Amino acid sequence: MEKTLAIIKPDAVKKGLIGKIIQRIEEEGFKISGLKMLHLTKEDAKAFYIVHKDKSFYDSLTDFMSSGEIVVMILERENAISHWRKVMGATDPALAEPGTIRHEFGSSVERNAVHGSDSPSTAEWEISFFYKDMQLEKIK
Ligand code: DAT
Ligand code: MG
């Protein structure tokens, strides 16, 4: 089964949406094979979003992502990567389709409630960013 990395971002955690988002994930047929809550430092957030280091929003995005608790999950399903991106909706909640998580719960392009990997190589890199080899052995 394909795996992807999902994050419930600080805005959604602060709004008390962890339960609703996890319920949706399970209803969509994902198996949650890793789950933890953590609070990224600014340095952690900069490392995770290094691909965006030259973007104008990098500083603000990494401030936001280190502003509170997040919930990090490994999701497994057939076509997990593309299916999770479909359930999340477009990056900008204003453009996200009704019924998507970002349409329902996002409040701006930056505070868009959830993250999802965008390709198999990104998923592999993002999963290993949060889960070290020893932990991964245990959830195979
Ligand atoms: P996605 O999260 O849909 O994969 P992305 O990888 O292009 O989107 O950007 C990563 C995050 O950066 C995104 O979830 C929110 C933030 N972001 C993207 N574009 C932005 C913009 N124009 N202004 C502010 N934040 C932005
Ligand atoms: Mg992305």
Side-chain angles (χ1 to χ4, degrees), residues 9 48-49 51-52 85 88 91 102 115-118 122 126:
K9 295 187 180 183
F48 182 70
Y49 278 114
V51 64
H52 293 307
R85 291 212 53 111
M88 288 199 305
T91 306
R102 283 168 164 173
H115 168 85
S117 311
D118 65 4
T122 310
E126 291 183 350

Side-chain angles (χ1 to χ4, degrees), residues 9 49 51-52 55-57 60-61 85 88-92 102 108-112 114-118:
K9 295 187 180 183
Y49 278 114
V51 64
H52 293 307
K55 304 273 171 60
S56 58
F57 55 81
S60 158
L61 170 65
R85 291 212 53 111
M88 288 199 305
T91 306
D92 183 350
R102 283 168 164 173
S108 71
V109 66
E110 184 175 273
R111 292 166 189 259
N112 59 7
V114 283
H115 168 85
S117 311
D118 65 4

Side-chain angles (χ1 to χ4, degrees), residues 3-6 48 73-75 117 122-132 136 139:
K3 291 189 180 79
T4 193
L5 187 94
F48 182 70
M73 286 168 281
I74 298 174
L75 307 183
S117 311
T122 310
E124 195 182 344
W125 184 85
E126 291 183 350
I127 288 169
S128 60
F129 183 91
F130 285 108
Y131 289 86
K132 300 304 168 205
L136 280 177
I139 61 167

Side-chain angles (χ1 to χ4, degrees), residues 13-31:
V13 172
K14 285 192 180 116
K15 288 181 193 162
L17 295 169
I18 295 172
K20 284 203 172 86
I21 292 172
I22 289 179
Q23 180 167 7
R24 178 70 185 275
I25 285 169
E26 292 186 331
E27 283 167 1
E28 293 288 339
F30 290 99
K31 178 189 167 205

Side-chain angles (χ1 to χ4, degrees), residues 18-129:
I18 295 172
K20 284 203 172 86
I21 292 172
I22 289 179
Q23 180 167 7
R24 178 70 185 275
I25 285 169
E26 292 186 331
E27 283 167 1
E28 293 288 339
F30 290 99
K31 178 189 167 205
I32 300 172
S33 53
L35 183 152
K36 58 184 166 186
M37 176 176 256
L38 56 152
H39 190 150
L40 299 180
T41 65
K42 172 82 171 173
E43 290 311 307
D44 295 332
K46 283 171 74 178
F48 182 70
Y49 278 114
I50 191 72
V51 64
H52 293 307
K53 69 177 163 45
D54 297 325
K55 304 273 171 60
S56 58
F57 55 81
Y58 183 59
D59 191 49
S60 158
L61 170 65
T62 53
D63 273 349
F64 164 59
M65 287 301 288
S66 57
S67 68
E69 302 286 322
I70 61 170
V71 176
V72 177
M73 286 168 281
I74 298 174
L75 307 183
E76 268 187 72
R77 213 198 93 127
E78 210 171 282
N79 299 319
I81 296 167
S82 62
H83 193 73
W84 176 235
R85 291 212 53 111
K86 194 172 146 205
V87 172
M88 288 199 305
T91 306
D92 183 350
L95 303 176
E97 299 269 328
T100 62
I101 293 175
R102 283 168 164 173
H103 179 269
E104 255 183 276
F105 300 137
S107 46
S108 71
V109 66
E110 184 175 273
R111 292 166 189 259
N112 59 7
V114 283
H115 168 85
S117 311
D118 65 4
S119 72
S121 60
T122 310
E124 195 182 344
W125 184 85
E126 291 183 350
I127 288 169
S128 60
F129 183 91

